[in-house]
Amino acid sequence: MLILKPKVIQHKDNILRVHSIESFGTHDGPGVRMVVFLQGCKLKCLYCHNPDTIDTHGGKEYQIEELVQMAIKEKPYFGKRGGVTVSGGEPLLQSKELVPFFKRLKEEGIHTNIDTNGRLLNHFTEELLDKYADLVMLDIKHMTEEGYEYITGQKNKETTFNFAKHREASGKKMWLRYVLIPEITNKPELLHQMGVYFKDYKTIEKIEIQPYHKLGVHKWDALGWDYPLKDARENTPKEIDAAVEILQQYFKEVRIN
């Protein structure tokens, strides 16, 4: 009798599975950047504005050198501060393939940045962080276990904080990112808790506050998914100002992104 085994997702050498590529990005790290959105994520955040990146089987395969050559062509526009950012989805699901990609970018003198939720810290991720990632933008979902599970659908927020500790130990630059959702993450006690936790970190250059919006709702609809935060409202200017005022007590720079 023939037994059919379930398909296993296997990574291919020198191949990255890409959702999309943005040229001249200005919101994903310093300067002008080529932003490579990788396919696949193990979280399903309530407010995800790119839910079409979640499926690990989606996207298009790109040869690493093909992406490097694209970056080289855009290099004249990067200036002194720009470069390449990998985002997602969750880019570190492809950390093994990102090592040779970032290594090549560094050989070409191109600044490298990872936008991540910090859920994965394996040998390849550590090599990427310690040797090839000039900057890490770390997404802090919530400061409590209950809140983290509510937002992401997964347990163990400590994985993100262990990731932050590893980056801090490397002595290399890091930015924090935090989505401000009224009544969920935009609570003074949570903002103070985050500030107290990270206030002594030397590698954190800034925290970027991302006010909640519903720009990705149509993508949930296109996938046939119910959007969980239909009743959530956007922040008022006063609420945003209050959050910034709290975080400025702990961080060198607070930016609204």
Side-chain angles (χ1 to χ4, degrees), residues 27-257:
H27 297 284
D28 297 277
V32 174
R33 310 192 70 80
M34 170 179 152
V35 187
V36 183
F37 295 93
L38 298 188
Q39 187 73 31
C41 186
K42 296 299 184 181
L43 304 182
K44 191 176 180 180
C45 296
L46 299 179
Y47 52 75
C48 181
H49 58 272
N50 286 319
D52 44 337
T53 67
I54 293 176
D55 182 8
T56 55
H57 294 86
K60 177 182 176 181
E61 293 184 346
Y62 279 82
Q63 290 280 347
I64 285 175
E65 190 58 33
E66 181 181 0
L67 294 170
V68 171
Q69 292 305 314
M70 292 172 65
I72 291 173
K73 289 180 180 179
E74 293 190 21
K75 188 177 177 181
Y77 301 99
F78 294 157
K80 295 181 178 179
R81 300 178 64 245
V84 172
T85 295
V86 290
S87 186
E90 175 44 54
L92 294 181
L93 291 179
Q94 301 183 61
S95 57
K96 180 180 178 181
E97 293 71 33
L98 283 176
V99 170
F101 179 43
F102 271 28
K103 184 178 181 180
R104 280 286 294 116
L105 292 175
K106 296 307 298 174
E107 289 172 354
E108 298 295 337
I110 296 173
H111 183 275
T112 55
N113 178 29
I114 303 169
D115 180 8
T116 176
N117 60 43
R119 286 282 296 182
L120 188 65
L121 189 62
N122 58 22
H123 167 73
F124 298 111
T125 301
E126 290 179 353
E127 183 178 3
L128 195 63
L129 294 179
D130 297 346
K131 292 184 178 180
Y132 304 116
D134 295 315
L135 177 65
V136 167
M137 297 193 306
L138 181 60
D139 190 6
I140 305 299
K141 303 294 185 181
H142 203 278
M143 291 305 298
T144 72
E145 184 64 31
E146 295 78 14
Y148 184 91
E149 184 176 357
Y150 172 69
I151 288 174
T152 69
Q154 297 290 332
K155 296 182 179 180
N156 197 2
K157 69 177 177 61
E158 290 304 318
T159 54
T160 300
F161 297 105
N162 290 336
F163 187 99
K165 290 175 185 175
H166 184 93
R167 184 63 175 181
E168 172 72 2
S170 75
K172 301 182 73 176
K173 296 177 181 179
M174 177 167 55
W175 295 2
L176 300 185
R177 294 185 130 183
Y178 188 76
V179 178
L180 209 61
I181 313 171
E183 285 82 51
I184 298 177
T185 61
N186 188 12
K187 296 181 179 181
E189 62 269 26
L190 293 175
L191 299 175
H192 280 293
Q193 187 177 351
M194 181 166 57
V196 169
Y197 186 91
F198 287 109
K199 66 182 177 61
D200 294 326
Y201 273 56
K202 306 299 183 185
T203 60
I204 296 176
E205 291 189 320
K206 69 175 70 175
I207 180 169
E208 290 190 336
I209 296 300
Q210 299 174 298
Y212 172 71
H213 61 72
K214 296 183 179 180
L215 298 180
V217 174
H218 68 283
K219 297 181 181 180
W220 287 73
D221 293 338
L223 292 168
W225 297 354
D226 290 330
Y227 184 68
L229 294 181
K230 289 180 180 178
D231 297 329
R233 62 176 178 82
E234 296 185 355
N235 302 272
T236 66
K238 185 176 180 180
E239 287 173 330
I240 295 174
D241 290 343
V244 170
E245 185 176 350
I246 290 174
L247 294 173
Q248 284 176 336
Q249 300 175 42
Y250 305 101
F251 297 99
K252 300 174 185 176
E253 181 181 349
V254 181
R255 176 182 175 187
I256 305 300
N257 195 359

